[in-house]
């Protein structure tokens, strides 16, 4: 494992703003050195077909070009870049990500809503005193709103709701208008969204409520500068803001102290959403945190560097939930890793991600047996693709799912065609290693395999067994001969000696 980098960077490609934070790692602790934020309005740049428009794309790439200059000297292992709701929604997200990665020089992950919520809580919990008791954390973004209950540094309940400042502005408050009827409709809509989680969250309970987004900070700033609070947000303060908004009819004419001009277009929507949350969950006050998604990314990245990777817990939890035979999974994983070590140079697989994805695929290759033995590889791929796996990006889940899907029977070339172009060849080659590993442990025996030599070419893989071993194991020979047919269908040659 290479030495941890001195600097870490996290970039959050939000629906309203792009944020970047750069921190220095000092004796295992993070010291934030710089934070940058630009209102790119990617969510507002989705057209009626949910495609990123040319103007929004240009704004985004220009911003990322500036971010790229600042992180040019940060090693790749020290940078994480994630996209949230706008990129989850965009139909042309793949094309945008390809161009954005070229500008940044770093991979971009799209995270699911609940994973975004977990990361937000991680950032908030590290920005507040470490104390006992549960917290309710709320983050109102441009396209989604995350609500989390956690204790200390662990998220206990996570949810991402399909409401945000950008979408609510389009729907209820176009062109900075704010009527009483529109505000009430927006609050009711927000309450309806929160209703889905209300019972579970109230049953779990919390001792304090914390807000964690730019929108909530803006509301807190207005409350403080108008003398309605000491920086926190109260139900009374929200009501005062509501009255000023509907009385003026237009946000710029409210005369609210502390309301920045760049916040005006989405301010009424943010107030309505937060009001709905206050009313539905019975909140009376909310403090404000400086930590959010980007800080959570830093601490999650630090955990990976320090061998505290939440993804490992997610894999084990999924295995436990579906009663995977852990011994068999580990046998296959060990053999797959041995084959990877021998094939990595010839197949250009000397990448940390390749080793991780192959091991995860091997551990989960029998996941679908909990559904049915018939076509269990397909059932397993579905479970991997559609489960909530804390720590995983959508791309990582898709990569593992494809390996599970491709580990037996016909090689599903169409499934690889759906992957990003840069990953297709790598994952196809990894799937071949996994297939052979699973076949060789067909007997589920604790008896160790012999020393098997692996050599690879562009479209060729050769396995060399000790002399006479295959003759003594005719069922394994039959398995290998059947794999030769499957390899041929996938455009590869499998040579057995």
């Amino acid at each position: 494992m290479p030495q941890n980098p001195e600097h870490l960077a996290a970039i959050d490609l939000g629906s309203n703003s792009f944020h970047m934070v750069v921190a220095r790692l000092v004796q295992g602790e993070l010291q934030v050195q710089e934070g940058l934020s630009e209102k790119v309005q990617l969510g507002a740049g989705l057209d009626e077909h949910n495609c990123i428009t040319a103007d929004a794309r240009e704004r985004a790439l220009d911003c990322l070009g500036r971010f790229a200059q600042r992180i040019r000297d940060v090693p790749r292992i020290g940078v994480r870049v994630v996209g949230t709701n706008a990129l989850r929604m965009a139909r042309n997200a793949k094309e945008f990500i390809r161009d954005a990665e070229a500008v940044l020089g770093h991979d971009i992950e799209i995270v699911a809503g609940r994973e975004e919520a977990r990361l937000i809580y991680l950032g908030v919990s590290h920005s507040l005193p470490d104390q006992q008791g549960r917290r309710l954390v709320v983050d109102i973004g441009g396209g989604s709103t995350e609500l989390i209950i956690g204790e200390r540094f662990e998220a206990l309940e996570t949810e991402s709701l399909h409401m945000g400042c950008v979408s609510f502005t389009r729907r209820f408050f176009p062109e900075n208008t704010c009527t009483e009827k529109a505000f009430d409709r927006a609050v009711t809509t927000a309450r309806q969204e929160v209703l889905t989680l209300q019972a579970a969250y109230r049953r779990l309970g919390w001792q304090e409520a914390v807000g964690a987004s730019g929108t909530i900070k803006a509301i807190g700033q207005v409350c403080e500068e108008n003398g309605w609070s000491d920086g926190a947000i109260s139900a009374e303060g929200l009501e005062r803001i509501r009255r000023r908004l509907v009385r003026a009819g237009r946000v710029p004419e409210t005369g609210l102290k502390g309301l920045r001009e760049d916040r005006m277009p989405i301010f009424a929507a943010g107030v309505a959403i937060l009001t709905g949350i206050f009313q539905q969950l019975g909140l009376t006050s909310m403090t404000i945190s400086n930590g959010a998604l980007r800080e959570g990314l830093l601490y999650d990245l630090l955990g990976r560097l320090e061998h505290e990777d939440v993804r490992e817990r997610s894999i084990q939890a999924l295995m436990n939930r579906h009663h995977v035979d852990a011994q068999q999974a580990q046998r296959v994983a060990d053999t797959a890793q041995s084959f990877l070590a021998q094939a990595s140079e010839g197949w250009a697989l000397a990448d940390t991600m390749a080793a991780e994805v192959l091991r995860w695929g091997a551990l989960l290759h029998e996941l679908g047996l909990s559904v049915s033995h018939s076509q269990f590889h397909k059932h397993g791929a579905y479970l991997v693709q559609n489960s909530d796996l804390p720590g995983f990006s959508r791309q990582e889940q898709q990569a593992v799912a494809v390996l599970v899907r491709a580990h037996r029977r016909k090689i599903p070339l169409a499934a690889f065609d759906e992957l990003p172009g840069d990953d297709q060849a790598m994952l196809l080659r990894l799937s071949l290693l996994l297939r052979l590993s699973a076949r060789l442990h067909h007997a589920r025996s604790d008896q160790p395999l012999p020393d098997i030599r692996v050599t690879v070419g562009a479209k060729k893989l050769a396995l060399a067994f000790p002399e006479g071993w295959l003759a003594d194991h005719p069922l394994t020979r039959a398995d290998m001969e059947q794999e030769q047919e499957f390899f041929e269908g996938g455009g590869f040659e499998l040579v057995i000696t």
Side-chain angles (χ1 to χ4, degrees):
M1 181 78 180
Q3 185 177 3
N4 288 349
E6 183 181 355
H7 289 87
L8 303 179
I11 297 177
D12 160 20
L13 309 181
S15 299
N16 189 49
S17 301
F18 284 8
H19 306 277
M20 180 177 73
V21 62
V22 179
R24 184 168 176 246
L25 187 57
V26 182
Q27 296 181 341
E29 297 293 328
L30 289 173
Q31 295 179 353
V32 174
Q33 293 189 316
E34 184 176 2
L36 298 174
S37 180
E38 292 193 23
K39 286 196 167 35
V40 173
Q41 296 183 307
L42 195 64
L46 296 179
D47 63 19
E48 66 272 18
H49 304 294
N50 271 348
C51 287
I52 300 169
T53 63
D55 286 346
R57 176 185 173 280
E58 184 176 356
R59 289 195 305 270
L61 295 181
D62 286 347
C63 171
L64 294 179
R66 289 184 283 276
F67 284 4
Q69 294 178 34
R70 178 61 186 85
I71 62 172
R72 184 177 295 141
D73 297 327
V74 181
R76 290 182 65 84
I77 63 168
V79 178
R80 281 193 73 189
V81 187
V82 301
T84 56
N85 188 73
L87 288 177
R88 291 196 290 266
M89 298 284 293
R91 298 179 65 181
N92 58 343
K94 284 185 180 179
E95 293 81 1
F96 171 80
I97 288 173
R98 179 195 62 215
D99 296 340
E101 287 178 340
V103 171
L104 269 178
H106 293 275
D107 294 338
I108 296 174
E109 311 168 38
I110 299 179
V111 293
R114 285 185 170 172
E115 172 63 5
E116 181 181 354
R118 184 189 71 85
L119 290 167
I120 288 166
Y121 182 80
L122 192 60
V124 170
S125 62
H126 277 90
S127 71
L128 297 174
D130 181 13
Q131 59 190 34
Q132 299 297 323
R134 292 176 184 148
R135 297 185 177 107
L136 168 70
V137 173
V138 178
D139 186 299
I140 302 173
S144 63
T145 293
E146 282 66 48
L147 292 95
I148 313 100
I149 293 180
E151 190 165 2
R152 302 191 68 193
F153 302 107
E154 193 74 26
L156 304 175
E157 288 281 348
T158 56
E159 191 56 79
S160 180
L161 303 178
H162 295 292
M163 61 178 180
C165 293
V166 173
S167 56
F168 265 47
T169 296
R170 281 178 168 177
R171 186 173 174 185
F172 302 110
F173 309 106
E175 299 178 358
N176 271 328
T177 59
C178 182
T179 66
E180 186 162 14
K181 182 178 179 181
F183 193 94
D184 289 346
R185 285 176 54 223
V187 170
T188 298
T189 302
R191 293 188 65 170
Q192 288 174 320
E193 288 287 332
V194 177
L195 183 61
T196 61
L197 57 79
Q198 174 185 319
Y201 275 46
R202 282 191 165 173
R203 186 162 52 246
L204 193 57
W206 61 86
Q207 280 69 55
E208 65 172 334
V210 183
S213 62
T215 292
I216 292 178
K217 288 179 184 177
I219 296 171
Q221 184 75 16
V222 168
C223 286
E224 182 176 20
E225 294 203 17
N226 286 274
W228 301 330
S229 78
D230 58 357
I233 300 171
S234 65
E236 181 185 355
L238 283 172
E239 173 59 20
R240 286 175 179 265
I241 295 174
R242 185 198 71 82
R243 289 202 296 264
R244 292 281 287 270
L245 286 169
V246 299
R247 188 186 310 137
R250 283 180 47 79
V251 179
E253 295 167 15
T254 58
L256 287 168
K257 297 177 185 177
L259 178 56
R260 299 200 321 258
E261 185 176 351
D262 63 338
R263 277 281 161 194
M264 288 182 182
I266 58 171
F267 184 71
V271 174
I273 291 171
L274 191 58
T275 299
I277 293 170
F278 262 62
Q279 291 181 3
Q280 197 62 34
L281 294 182
L283 303 180
T284 57
S285 65
M286 174 177 286
T287 59
I288 299 171
S289 163
N290 289 321
L293 174 59
R294 51 199 175 279
E295 288 79 15
L297 281 169
L298 286 179
Y299 282 102
D300 199 56
L301 177 57
L302 180 59
R304 294 183 182 185
L305 294 173
E306 300 288 345
H307 306 286
E308 297 175 2
D309 192 342
V310 69
R311 294 175 298 180
E312 300 298 332
R313 297 209 310 261
S314 296
I315 293 292
Q316 289 301 317
L318 195 61
M319 292 174 66
N320 294 339
R321 192 180 314 142
H322 294 279
H323 310 290
V324 170
D325 183 340
Q327 287 185 315
Q328 176 69 359
Q330 192 60 55
R331 290 186 199 105
V332 173
D334 291 343
T335 298
Q337 293 292 325
S338 171
F339 287 174
L340 176 62
Q342 297 180 65
S344 61
E345 184 175 351
W347 269 357
L349 297 175
D351 183 282
T352 303
M353 178 188 172
E356 290 176 336
V357 170
L358 178 59
R359 190 171 61 81
W360 292 328
L363 291 174
L364 298 177
H365 77 283
E366 291 190 333
L367 188 70
L369 286 174
S370 66
V371 178
S372 170
H373 186 274
S374 175
Q375 303 200 9
F376 71 85
H377 54 302
K378 295 182 180 179
H379 300 313
Y382 178 86
L383 290 171
V384 172
Q385 184 76 64
N386 293 283
S387 295
D388 283 322
L389 296 181
F392 280 85
S393 68
R394 283 189 170 183
Q395 295 100 316
E396 288 171 333
Q397 281 189 237
Q398 184 182 26
V400 178
V402 166
L403 289 193
V404 173
R405 169 70 177 81
H407 92 270
R408 67 192 293 264
R409 307 288 180 158
K410 182 180 177 182
I411 296 174
L413 294 177
F416 291 96
D417 290 339
E418 296 176 4
L419 297 166
D422 293 344
D423 294 341
Q424 290 178 10
M426 176 190 75
L427 288 169
L428 178 54
R429 289 168 170 173
L430 292 178
S431 75
L432 300 181
L433 300 179
L434 178 55
R435 293 176 70 91
L436 294 173
S437 303
R439 282 281 197 174
L440 288 166
H441 289 285
H442 196 170
R444 314 181 81 86
S445 171
D446 289 329
Q447 189 71 26
L449 292 174
D451 182 27
I452 303 171
R453 297 288 90 195
V454 178
T455 55
V456 296
K459 287 287 185 176
K460 179 179 178 180
L461 188 153
L463 290 183
F465 290 83
E467 186 175 355
W469 191 87
L470 281 177
D472 294 336
H473 296 79
L475 293 181
T476 301
R477 177 183 284 280
D479 279 342
M480 292 297 101
E481 289 172 352
Q482 192 173 42
E483 273 303 314
Q484 286 178 316
E485 297 178 15
F486 287 131
F487 268 57
E488 185 177 351
F492 280 78
E493 180 185 6
L494 175 60
V495 179
I496 306 296
T497 58

